[in-house]
Structures are given as structure tokens and as C-alpha cells.
Amino acid sequence: MCSSDLVVYSLEFSNVGHHACTLRGTPKIVATAGNGQQVGPAAGGGTTGQLVTLRPGATAHVILNVFAPNCPHPVTATLNAYPPGQAQRQSTGLTQGFCPNAAPAGVDSMHPLAGVPFYTHR
């Protein structure tokens, strides 16, 4: 694999609430086509890792490795992230071609103290 086959992002999770919250594990990353169908298997979704406590306005992050499609007929889809232990998905804003039979990305577990505190893009 050459370096152009992979793009690395820091995916940030901010506490926009009024109370502290905790996250542990790996977010589930899913590629979703425009028709709402999932493209390929999900990545991540694990429950092991450091417990991260986020005070209101605090941010944590994961490293997201997005793979270029290596298949004959990639499907255009958007990457969505489910924070660890949560059922509400959030769009990453990343749209590209993904292979129907391969995970769209690789992701690690949560890391504290990242991003710009009190800044959230909705």
C-alpha cells in the first residue's frame, strides 16, 4: 500500500452538555450511502481502552485511518461515527468511495485532551 491509499484524521468528540460524561472504547465507524444503506462492515465499536471523562466543553479524540477504495466498483458513502456506548450517529463529513465488502476505516480508542476546548462544529 502506498501512502496515497490512506488518509489519517483526528476525529474529535466534544461534550456539549452541562454535565460531565465518560467515554471508553472505540467509536463505531460506518459508511452510509445516500439511500441510507450501510456500505461494508462497521469498524471499531469496542469497549476496551482508557476511561475518558469529559467536563462540559471538553474534547477527546481518536485517530481515524480512512482507506482509499481498492475494488472495481466503489460506492460513494459518508462516514458516520457512533461514540462509544451511544446509539446516536454523527456524520464525520467525509464522503468518498468505499468498497462494499471491506471496512471503510480503522480507528483506535478514545484519547483525552485533544482539539479546541469549547469549540464544536455541528
PDB file of all heavy atoms in Angstrom, residues 35-76:
ATOM      1  N   ASN A  35     -28.726   6.405   0.037  1.00  0.00           N
ATOM      2  CA  ASN A  35     -30.031   5.778   0.259  1.00  0.00           C
ATOM      3  C   ASN A  35     -30.199   5.267   1.687  1.00  0.00           C
ATOM      4  O   ASN A  35     -31.191   4.625   2.003  1.00  0.00           O
ATOM      5  CB  ASN A  35     -30.248   4.635  -0.740  1.00  0.00           C
ATOM      6  CG  ASN A  35     -29.247   3.507  -0.578  1.00  0.00           C
ATOM      7  OD1 ASN A  35     -28.414   3.512   0.328  1.00  0.00           O
ATOM      8  ND2 ASN A  35     -29.305   2.531  -1.477  1.00  0.00           N
ATOM      9  N   GLY A  36     -29.209   5.526   2.556  1.00  0.00           N
ATOM     10  CA  GLY A  36     -29.284   5.094   3.952  1.00  0.00           C
ATOM     11  C   GLY A  36     -28.725   3.716   4.226  1.00  0.00           C
ATOM     12  O   GLY A  36     -28.632   3.305   5.382  1.00  0.00           O
ATOM     13  N   GLN A  37     -28.343   2.982   3.165  1.00  0.00           N
ATOM     14  CA  GLN A  37     -27.805   1.632   3.342  1.00  0.00           C
ATOM     15  C   GLN A  37     -26.345   1.686   3.782  1.00  0.00           C
ATOM     16  O   GLN A  37     -25.568   2.507   3.293  1.00  0.00           O
ATOM     17  CB  GLN A  37     -27.899   0.849   2.023  1.00  0.00           C
ATOM     18  CG  GLN A  37     -29.311   0.569   1.579  1.00  0.00           C
ATOM     19  CD  GLN A  37     -30.003  -0.413   2.509  1.00  0.00           C
ATOM     20  OE1 GLN A  37     -29.402  -1.333   3.022  1.00  0.00           O
ATOM     21  NE2 GLN A  37     -31.288  -0.197   2.721  1.00  0.00           N
ATOM     22  N   GLN A  38     -25.983   0.777   4.689  1.00  0.00           N
ATOM     23  CA  GLN A  38     -24.605   0.662   5.131  1.00  0.00           C
ATOM     24  C   GLN A  38     -23.764   0.040   4.022  1.00  0.00           C
ATOM     25  O   GLN A  38     -24.181  -0.908   3.368  1.00  0.00           O
ATOM     26  CB  GLN A  38     -24.529  -0.203   6.393  1.00  0.00           C
ATOM     27  CG  GLN A  38     -23.126  -0.330   6.946  1.00  0.00           C
ATOM     28  CD  GLN A  38     -23.091  -1.059   8.272  1.00  0.00           C
ATOM     29  OE1 GLN A  38     -23.988  -0.882   9.100  1.00  0.00           O
ATOM     30  NE2 GLN A  38     -22.071  -1.870   8.488  1.00  0.00           N
ATOM     31  N   VAL A  39     -22.570   0.592   3.811  1.00  0.00           N
ATOM     32  CA  VAL A  39     -21.641   0.088   2.804  1.00  0.00           C
ATOM     33  C   VAL A  39     -20.498  -0.623   3.534  1.00  0.00           C
ATOM     34  O   VAL A  39     -19.729   0.002   4.244  1.00  0.00           O
ATOM     35  CB  VAL A  39     -21.074   1.229   1.936  1.00  0.00           C
ATOM     36  CG1 VAL A  39     -20.054   0.704   0.945  1.00  0.00           C
ATOM     37  CG2 VAL A  39     -22.207   1.956   1.228  1.00  0.00           C
ATOM     38  N   GLY A  40     -20.401  -1.929   3.377  1.00  0.00           N
ATOM     39  CA  GLY A  40     -19.338  -2.689   4.037  1.00  0.00           C
ATOM     40  C   GLY A  40     -19.593  -2.845   5.522  1.00  0.00           C
ATOM     41  O   GLY A  40     -20.538  -2.280   6.078  1.00  0.00           O
ATOM     42  N   PRO A  41     -18.735  -3.618   6.184  1.00  0.00           N
ATOM     43  CA  PRO A  41     -18.889  -3.817   7.623  1.00  0.00           C
ATOM     44  C   PRO A  41     -18.451  -2.576   8.414  1.00  0.00           C
ATOM     45  O   PRO A  41     -17.675  -1.763   7.914  1.00  0.00           O
ATOM     46  CB  PRO A  41     -17.962  -5.002   7.913  1.00  0.00           C
ATOM     47  CG  PRO A  41     -16.931  -4.931   6.839  1.00  0.00           C
ATOM     48  CD  PRO A  41     -17.630  -4.386   5.624  1.00  0.00           C
ATOM     49  N   ALA A  42     -18.948  -2.446   9.619  1.00  0.00           N
ATOM     50  CA  ALA A  42     -18.543  -1.350  10.500  1.00  0.00           C
ATOM     51  C   ALA A  42     -17.123  -1.596  10.996  1.00  0.00           C
ATOM     52  O   ALA A  42     -16.645  -2.726  11.033  1.00  0.00           O
ATOM     53  CB  ALA A  42     -19.500  -1.255  11.684  1.00  0.00           C
ATOM     54  N   ALA A  43     -16.461  -0.526  11.382  1.00  0.00           N
ATOM     55  CA  ALA A  43     -15.144  -0.610  12.017  1.00  0.00           C
ATOM     56  C   ALA A  43     -15.285  -0.132  13.456  1.00  0.00           C
ATOM     57  O   ALA A  43     -16.134   0.704  13.761  1.00  0.00           O
ATOM     58  CB  ALA A  43     -14.143   0.257  11.266  1.00  0.00           C
ATOM     59  N   GLY A  44     -14.456  -0.640  14.331  1.00  0.00           N
ATOM     60  CA  GLY A  44     -14.465  -0.190  15.726  1.00  0.00           C
ATOM     61  C   GLY A  44     -15.644  -0.742  16.499  1.00  0.00           C
ATOM     62  O   GLY A  44     -16.142  -1.824  16.212  1.00  0.00           O
ATOM     63  N   GLY A  45     -16.094   0.028  17.469  1.00  0.00           N
ATOM     64  CA  GLY A  45     -17.214  -0.389  18.292  1.00  0.00           C
ATOM     65  C   GLY A  45     -16.800  -1.163  19.524  1.00  0.00           C
ATOM     66  O   GLY A  45     -17.642  -1.730  20.208  1.00  0.00           O
ATOM     67  N   GLY A  46     -15.510  -1.155  19.849  1.00  0.00           N
ATOM     68  CA  GLY A  46     -15.028  -1.888  21.020  1.00  0.00           C
ATOM     69  C   GLY A  46     -15.262  -1.145  22.316  1.00  0.00           C
ATOM     70  O   GLY A  46     -15.517   0.064  22.332  1.00  0.00           O
ATOM     71  N   THR A  47     -15.185  -1.867  23.426  1.00  0.00           N
ATOM     72  CA  THR A  47     -15.451  -1.275  24.739  1.00  0.00           C
ATOM     73  C   THR A  47     -14.226  -1.243  25.640  1.00  0.00           C
ATOM     74  O   THR A  47     -14.336  -0.893  26.814  1.00  0.00           O
ATOM     75  CB  THR A  47     -16.571  -2.050  25.456  1.00  0.00           C
ATOM     76  OG1 THR A  47     -16.174  -3.416  25.576  1.00  0.00           O
ATOM     77  CG2 THR A  47     -17.883  -1.949  24.690  1.00  0.00           C
ATOM     78  N   THR A  48     -13.062  -1.594  25.130  1.00  0.00           N
ATOM     79  CA  THR A  48     -11.868  -1.557  25.962  1.00  0.00           C
ATOM     80  C   THR A  48     -11.071  -0.289  25.679  1.00  0.00           C
ATOM     81  O   THR A  48     -11.175   0.296  24.598  1.00  0.00           O
ATOM     82  CB  THR A  48     -10.967  -2.787  25.712  1.00  0.00           C
ATOM     83  OG1 THR A  48     -10.580  -2.795  24.342  1.00  0.00           O
ATOM     84  CG2 THR A  48     -11.690  -4.069  26.046  1.00  0.00           C
ATOM     85  N   GLY A  49     -10.302   0.121  26.631  1.00  0.00           N
ATOM     86  CA  GLY A  49      -9.485   1.320  26.492  1.00  0.00           C
ATOM     87  C   GLY A  49      -9.601   2.181  27.728  1.00  0.00           C
ATOM     88  O   GLY A  49     -10.307   1.861  28.685  1.00  0.00           O
ATOM     89  N   GLN A  50      -8.916   3.287  27.690  1.00  0.00           N
ATOM     90  CA  GLN A  50      -8.877   4.231  28.807  1.00  0.00           C
ATOM     91  C   GLN A  50     -10.237   4.898  28.993  1.00  0.00           C
ATOM     92  O   GLN A  50     -10.887   5.288  28.017  1.00  0.00           O
ATOM     93  CB  GLN A  50      -7.813   5.286  28.517  1.00  0.00           C
ATOM     94  CG  GLN A  50      -7.718   6.380  29.540  1.00  0.00           C
ATOM     95  CD  GLN A  50      -6.667   7.424  29.156  1.00  0.00           C
ATOM     96  OE1 GLN A  50      -6.057   7.352  28.097  1.00  0.00           O
ATOM     97  NE2 GLN A  50      -6.474   8.389  30.023  1.00  0.00           N
ATOM     98  N   LEU A  51     -10.687   5.033  30.251  1.00  0.00           N
ATOM     99  CA  LEU A  51     -11.898   5.782  30.546  1.00  0.00           C
ATOM    100  C   LEU A  51     -11.560   7.267  30.436  1.00  0.00           C
ATOM    101  O   LEU A  51     -10.632   7.751  31.077  1.00  0.00           O
ATOM    102  CB  LEU A  51     -12.419   5.464  31.942  1.00  0.00           C
ATOM    103  CG  LEU A  51     -13.693   6.198  32.350  1.00  0.00           C
ATOM    104  CD1 LEU A  51     -14.862   5.730  31.494  1.00  0.00           C
ATOM    105  CD2 LEU A  51     -13.984   5.969  33.817  1.00  0.00           C
ATOM    106  N   VAL A  52     -12.302   7.980  29.607  1.00  0.00           N
ATOM    107  CA  VAL A  52     -12.078   9.401  29.391  1.00  0.00           C
ATOM    108  C   VAL A  52     -13.278  10.153  29.941  1.00  0.00           C
ATOM    109  O   VAL A  52     -14.411   9.895  29.544  1.00  0.00           O
ATOM    110  CB  VAL A  52     -11.890   9.707  27.887  1.00  0.00           C
ATOM    111  CG1 VAL A  52     -11.768  11.198  27.654  1.00  0.00           C
ATOM    112  CG2 VAL A  52     -10.684   8.962  27.335  1.00  0.00           C
ATOM    113  N   THR A  53     -13.034  11.064  30.873  1.00  0.00           N
ATOM    114  CA  THR A  53     -14.092  11.902  31.435  1.00  0.00           C
ATOM    115  C   THR A  53     -14.016  13.270  30.772  1.00  0.00           C
ATOM    116  O   THR A  53     -12.968  13.902  30.756  1.00  0.00           O
ATOM    117  CB  THR A  53     -13.927  12.049  32.962  1.00  0.00           C
ATOM    118  OG1 THR A  53     -13.990  10.752  33.556  1.00  0.00           O
ATOM    119  CG2 THR A  53     -15.021  12.929  33.545  1.00  0.00           C
ATOM    120  N   LEU A  54     -15.149  13.687  30.218  1.00  0.00           N
ATOM    121  CA  LEU A  54     -15.224  14.987  29.550  1.00  0.00           C
ATOM    122  C   LEU A  54     -16.101  15.932  30.353  1.00  0.00           C
ATOM    123  O   LEU A  54     -17.296  15.695  30.509  1.00  0.00           O
ATOM    124  CB  LEU A  54     -15.803  14.844  28.145  1.00  0.00           C
ATOM    125  CG  LEU A  54     -14.995  14.038  27.138  1.00  0.00           C
ATOM    126  CD1 LEU A  54     -15.751  13.935  25.820  1.00  0.00           C
ATOM    127  CD2 LEU A  54     -13.643  14.663  26.931  1.00  0.00           C
ATOM    128  N   ARG A  55     -15.516  16.982  30.866  1.00  0.00           N
ATOM    129  CA  ARG A  55     -16.296  18.040  31.500  1.00  0.00           C
ATOM    130  C   ARG A  55     -17.024  18.813  30.411  1.00  0.00           C
ATOM    131  O   ARG A  55     -16.660  18.725  29.237  1.00  0.00           O
ATOM    132  CB  ARG A  55     -15.381  18.973  32.280  1.00  0.00           C
ATOM    133  CG  ARG A  55     -14.734  18.300  33.489  1.00  0.00           C
ATOM    134  CD  ARG A  55     -13.756  19.223  34.102  1.00  0.00           C
ATOM    135  NE  ARG A  55     -12.765  19.495  33.044  1.00  0.00           N
ATOM    136  CZ  ARG A  55     -11.662  20.183  33.190  1.00  0.00           C
ATOM    137  NH1 ARG A  55     -11.353  20.710  34.317  1.00  0.00           N
ATOM    138  NH2 ARG A  55     -10.834  20.369  32.183  1.00  0.00           N
ATOM    139  N   PRO A  56     -18.038  19.583  30.734  1.00  0.00           N
ATOM    140  CA  PRO A  56     -18.716  20.384  29.709  1.00  0.00           C
ATOM    141  C   PRO A  56     -17.708  21.229  28.930  1.00  0.00           C
ATOM    142  O   PRO A  56     -16.854  21.887  29.518  1.00  0.00           O
ATOM    143  CB  PRO A  56     -19.666  21.260  30.525  1.00  0.00           C
ATOM    144  CG  PRO A  56     -19.958  20.434  31.736  1.00  0.00           C
ATOM    145  CD  PRO A  56     -18.647  19.740  32.054  1.00  0.00           C
ATOM    146  N   GLY A  57     -17.762  21.137  27.608  1.00  0.00           N
ATOM    147  CA  GLY A  57     -16.849  21.879  26.742  1.00  0.00           C
ATOM    148  C   GLY A  57     -15.553  21.164  26.426  1.00  0.00           C
ATOM    149  O   GLY A  57     -14.820  21.597  25.550  1.00  0.00           O
ATOM    150  N   ALA A  58     -15.253  20.063  27.118  1.00  0.00           N
ATOM    151  CA  ALA A  58     -14.003  19.340  26.883  1.00  0.00           C
ATOM    152  C   ALA A  58     -14.112  18.458  25.639  1.00  0.00           C
ATOM    153  O   ALA A  58     -15.205  18.107  25.202  1.00  0.00           O
ATOM    154  CB  ALA A  58     -13.641  18.500  28.094  1.00  0.00           C
ATOM    155  N   THR A  59     -12.965  18.112  25.084  1.00  0.00           N
ATOM    156  CA  THR A  59     -12.905  17.336  23.854  1.00  0.00           C
ATOM    157  C   THR A  59     -11.942  16.172  24.000  1.00  0.00           C
ATOM    158  O   THR A  59     -10.905  16.302  24.632  1.00  0.00           O
ATOM    159  CB  THR A  59     -12.428  18.237  22.684  1.00  0.00           C
ATOM    160  OG1 THR A  59     -13.331  19.328  22.563  1.00  0.00           O
ATOM    161  CG2 THR A  59     -12.393  17.493  21.375  1.00  0.00           C
ATOM    162  N   ALA A  60     -12.298  15.036  23.406  1.00  0.00           N
ATOM    163  CA  ALA A  60     -11.421  13.868  23.305  1.00  0.00           C
ATOM    164  C   ALA A  60     -11.323  13.521  21.825  1.00  0.00           C
ATOM    165  O   ALA A  60     -12.072  14.050  20.999  1.00  0.00           O
ATOM    166  CB  ALA A  60     -11.989  12.699  24.094  1.00  0.00           C
ATOM    167  N   HIS A  61     -10.394  12.634  21.476  1.00  0.00           N
ATOM    168  CA  HIS A  61     -10.259  12.296  20.062  1.00  0.00           C
ATOM    169  C   HIS A  61      -9.853  10.844  19.872  1.00  0.00           C
ATOM    170  O   HIS A  61      -9.428  10.172  20.807  1.00  0.00           O
ATOM    171  CB  HIS A  61      -9.237  13.206  19.374  1.00  0.00           C
ATOM    172  CG  HIS A  61      -7.813  12.818  19.630  1.00  0.00           C
ATOM    173  ND1 HIS A  61      -7.167  13.066  20.813  1.00  0.00           N
ATOM    174  CD2 HIS A  61      -6.919  12.174  18.839  1.00  0.00           C
ATOM    175  CE1 HIS A  61      -5.926  12.602  20.750  1.00  0.00           C
ATOM    176  NE2 HIS A  61      -5.748  12.055  19.561  1.00  0.00           N
ATOM    177  N   VAL A  62      -9.999  10.391  18.635  1.00  0.00           N
ATOM    178  CA  VAL A  62      -9.481   9.106  18.170  1.00  0.00           C
ATOM    179  C   VAL A  62      -8.755   9.374  16.860  1.00  0.00           C
ATOM    180  O   VAL A  62      -8.988  10.385  16.204  1.00  0.00           O
ATOM    181  CB  VAL A  62     -10.591   8.045  17.931  1.00  0.00           C
ATOM    182  CG1 VAL A  62     -11.299   7.696  19.229  1.00  0.00           C
ATOM    183  CG2 VAL A  62     -11.581   8.507  16.887  1.00  0.00           C
ATOM    184  N   ILE A  63      -7.870   8.463  16.502  1.00  0.00           N
ATOM    185  CA  ILE A  63      -7.204   8.535  15.209  1.00  0.00           C
ATOM    186  C   ILE A  63      -8.008   7.684  14.236  1.00  0.00           C
ATOM    187  O   ILE A  63      -8.273   6.516  14.494  1.00  0.00           O
ATOM    188  CB  ILE A  63      -5.748   8.042  15.291  1.00  0.00           C
ATOM    189  CG1 ILE A  63      -4.966   8.884  16.300  1.00  0.00           C
ATOM    190  CG2 ILE A  63      -5.092   8.062  13.911  1.00  0.00           C
ATOM    191  CD1 ILE A  63      -4.907  10.372  15.979  1.00  0.00           C
ATOM    192  N   LEU A  64      -8.412   8.285  13.136  1.00  0.00           N
ATOM    193  CA  LEU A  64      -9.231   7.632  12.126  1.00  0.00           C
ATOM    194  C   LEU A  64      -8.397   7.473  10.857  1.00  0.00           C
ATOM    195  O   LEU A  64      -7.925   8.462  10.292  1.00  0.00           O
ATOM    196  CB  LEU A  64     -10.469   8.487  11.849  1.00  0.00           C
ATOM    197  CG  LEU A  64     -11.465   7.987  10.824  1.00  0.00           C
ATOM    198  CD1 LEU A  64     -12.140   6.702  11.319  1.00  0.00           C
ATOM    199  CD2 LEU A  64     -12.507   9.064  10.549  1.00  0.00           C
ATOM    200  N   ASN A  65      -8.190   6.239  10.438  1.00  0.00           N
ATOM    201  CA  ASN A  65      -7.460   5.934   9.205  1.00  0.00           C
ATOM    202  C   ASN A  65      -8.479   5.573   8.135  1.00  0.00           C
ATOM    203  O   ASN A  65      -9.138   4.540   8.233  1.00  0.00           O
ATOM    204  CB  ASN A  65      -6.512   4.751   9.422  1.00  0.00           C
ATOM    205  CG  ASN A  65      -5.454   5.048  10.460  1.00  0.00           C
ATOM    206  OD1 ASN A  65      -4.750   6.028  10.351  1.00  0.00           O
ATOM    207  ND2 ASN A  65      -5.364   4.208  11.466  1.00  0.00           N
ATOM    208  N   VAL A  66      -8.612   6.420   7.130  1.00  0.00           N
ATOM    209  CA  VAL A  66      -9.593   6.203   6.070  1.00  0.00           C
ATOM    210  C   VAL A  66      -8.860   5.634   4.854  1.00  0.00           C
ATOM    211  O   VAL A  66      -7.882   6.218   4.378  1.00  0.00           O
ATOM    212  CB  VAL A  66     -10.325   7.507   5.702  1.00  0.00           C
ATOM    213  CG1 VAL A  66     -11.322   7.276   4.584  1.00  0.00           C
ATOM    214  CG2 VAL A  66     -11.024   8.068   6.930  1.00  0.00           C
ATOM    215  N   PHE A  67      -9.348   4.501   4.375  1.00  0.00           N
ATOM    216  CA  PHE A  67      -8.713   3.797   3.274  1.00  0.00           C
ATOM    217  C   PHE A  67      -9.301   4.212   1.932  1.00  0.00           C
ATOM    218  O   PHE A  67     -10.508   4.391   1.806  1.00  0.00           O
ATOM    219  CB  PHE A  67      -8.888   2.282   3.436  1.00  0.00           C
ATOM    220  CG  PHE A  67      -8.460   1.787   4.792  1.00  0.00           C
ATOM    221  CD1 PHE A  67      -9.372   1.209   5.652  1.00  0.00           C
ATOM    222  CD2 PHE A  67      -7.149   1.914   5.202  1.00  0.00           C
ATOM    223  CE1 PHE A  67      -8.988   0.755   6.902  1.00  0.00           C
ATOM    224  CE2 PHE A  67      -6.750   1.465   6.456  1.00  0.00           C
ATOM    225  CZ  PHE A  67      -7.673   0.887   7.304  1.00  0.00           C
ATOM    226  N   ALA A  68      -8.438   4.354   0.933  1.00  0.00           N
ATOM    227  CA  ALA A  68      -8.910   4.571  -0.439  1.00  0.00           C
ATOM    228  C   ALA A  68      -9.511   3.260  -0.938  1.00  0.00           C
ATOM    229  O   ALA A  68      -9.043   2.179  -0.564  1.00  0.00           O
ATOM    230  CB  ALA A  68      -7.751   4.993  -1.328  1.00  0.00           C
ATOM    231  N   PRO A  69     -10.551   3.331  -1.743  1.00  0.00           N
ATOM    232  CA  PRO A  69     -11.174   2.093  -2.213  1.00  0.00           C
ATOM    233  C   PRO A  69     -10.220   1.297  -3.113  1.00  0.00           C
ATOM    234  O   PRO A  69      -9.534   1.868  -3.946  1.00  0.00           O
ATOM    235  CB  PRO A  69     -12.398   2.572  -2.987  1.00  0.00           C
ATOM    236  CG  PRO A  69     -12.106   3.981  -3.342  1.00  0.00           C
ATOM    237  CD  PRO A  69     -11.203   4.518  -2.279  1.00  0.00           C
ATOM    238  N   ASN A  70     -10.175   0.002  -2.887  1.00  0.00           N
ATOM    239  CA  ASN A  70      -9.349  -0.895  -3.678  1.00  0.00           C
ATOM    240  C   ASN A  70     -10.238  -2.027  -4.182  1.00  0.00           C
ATOM    241  O   ASN A  70     -10.049  -3.185  -3.829  1.00  0.00           O
ATOM    242  CB  ASN A  70      -8.184  -1.425  -2.833  1.00  0.00           C
ATOM    243  CG  ASN A  70      -7.202  -2.213  -3.672  1.00  0.00           C
ATOM    244  OD1 ASN A  70      -7.212  -2.143  -4.894  1.00  0.00           O
ATOM    245  ND2 ASN A  70      -6.351  -2.968  -3.008  1.00  0.00           N
ATOM    246  N   CYS A  71     -11.261  -1.654  -4.958  1.00  0.00           N
ATOM    247  CA  CYS A  71     -12.204  -2.619  -5.501  1.00  0.00           C
ATOM    248  C   CYS A  71     -12.697  -2.080  -6.841  1.00  0.00           C
ATOM    249  O   CYS A  71     -12.589  -0.885  -7.108  1.00  0.00           O
ATOM    250  CB  CYS A  71     -13.361  -2.859  -4.529  1.00  0.00           C
ATOM    251  SG  CYS A  71     -14.300  -1.385  -4.103  1.00  0.00           S
ATOM    252  N   PRO A  72     -13.268  -2.921  -7.681  1.00  0.00           N
ATOM    253  CA  PRO A  72     -13.672  -2.463  -9.015  1.00  0.00           C
ATOM    254  C   PRO A  72     -14.863  -1.503  -9.033  1.00  0.00           C
ATOM    255  O   PRO A  72     -14.972  -0.676  -9.921  1.00  0.00           O
ATOM    256  CB  PRO A  72     -14.003  -3.750  -9.758  1.00  0.00           C
ATOM    257  CG  PRO A  72     -14.197  -4.785  -8.717  1.00  0.00           C
ATOM    258  CD  PRO A  72     -13.426  -4.362  -7.517  1.00  0.00           C
ATOM    259  N   HIS A  73     -15.762  -1.595  -8.063  1.00  0.00           N
ATOM    260  CA  HIS A  73     -16.967  -0.756  -8.094  1.00  0.00           C
ATOM    261  C   HIS A  73     -17.227  -0.136  -6.719  1.00  0.00           C
ATOM    262  O   HIS A  73     -18.148  -0.541  -6.013  1.00  0.00           O
ATOM    263  CB  HIS A  73     -18.179  -1.577  -8.530  1.00  0.00           C
ATOM    264  CG  HIS A  73     -17.988  -2.227  -9.862  1.00  0.00           C
ATOM    265  ND1 HIS A  73     -17.985  -1.519 -11.036  1.00  0.00           N
ATOM    266  CD2 HIS A  73     -17.772  -3.514 -10.200  1.00  0.00           C
ATOM    267  CE1 HIS A  73     -17.777  -2.334 -12.049  1.00  0.00           C
ATOM    268  NE2 HIS A  73     -17.638  -3.556 -11.569  1.00  0.00           N
ATOM    269  N   PRO A  74     -16.442   0.882  -6.333  1.00  0.00           N
ATOM    270  CA  PRO A  74     -16.690   1.515  -5.036  1.00  0.00           C
ATOM    271  C   PRO A  74     -18.036   2.238  -5.010  1.00  0.00           C
ATOM    272  O   PRO A  74     -18.541   2.658  -6.043  1.00  0.00           O
ATOM    273  CB  PRO A  74     -15.535   2.501  -4.887  1.00  0.00           C
ATOM    274  CG  PRO A  74     -15.029   2.727  -6.256  1.00  0.00           C
ATOM    275  CD  PRO A  74     -15.351   1.511  -7.064  1.00  0.00           C
ATOM    276  N   VAL A  75     -18.595   2.336  -3.817  1.00  0.00           N
ATOM    277  CA  VAL A  75     -19.878   3.010  -3.605  1.00  0.00           C
ATOM    278  C   VAL A  75     -19.608   4.311  -2.857  1.00  0.00           C
ATOM    279  O   VAL A  75     -18.916   4.310  -1.841  1.00  0.00           O
ATOM    280  CB  VAL A  75     -20.829   2.106  -2.777  1.00  0.00           C
ATOM    281  CG1 VAL A  75     -22.126   2.832  -2.479  1.00  0.00           C
ATOM    282  CG2 VAL A  75     -21.080   0.789  -3.504  1.00  0.00           C
ATOM    283  N   THR A  76     -20.158   5.414  -3.351  1.00  0.00           N
ATOM    284  CA  THR A  76     -19.986   6.692  -2.663  1.00  0.00           C
ATOM    285  C   THR A  76     -20.819   6.691  -1.386  1.00  0.00           C
ATOM    286  O   THR A  76     -22.015   6.385  -1.413  1.00  0.00           O
ATOM    287  CB  THR A  76     -20.407   7.862  -3.567  1.00  0.00           C
ATOM    288  OG1 THR A  76     -19.585   7.844  -4.736  1.00  0.00           O
ATOM    289  CG2 THR A  76     -20.246   9.192  -2.854  1.00  0.00           C
TER     290      THR A  76
END
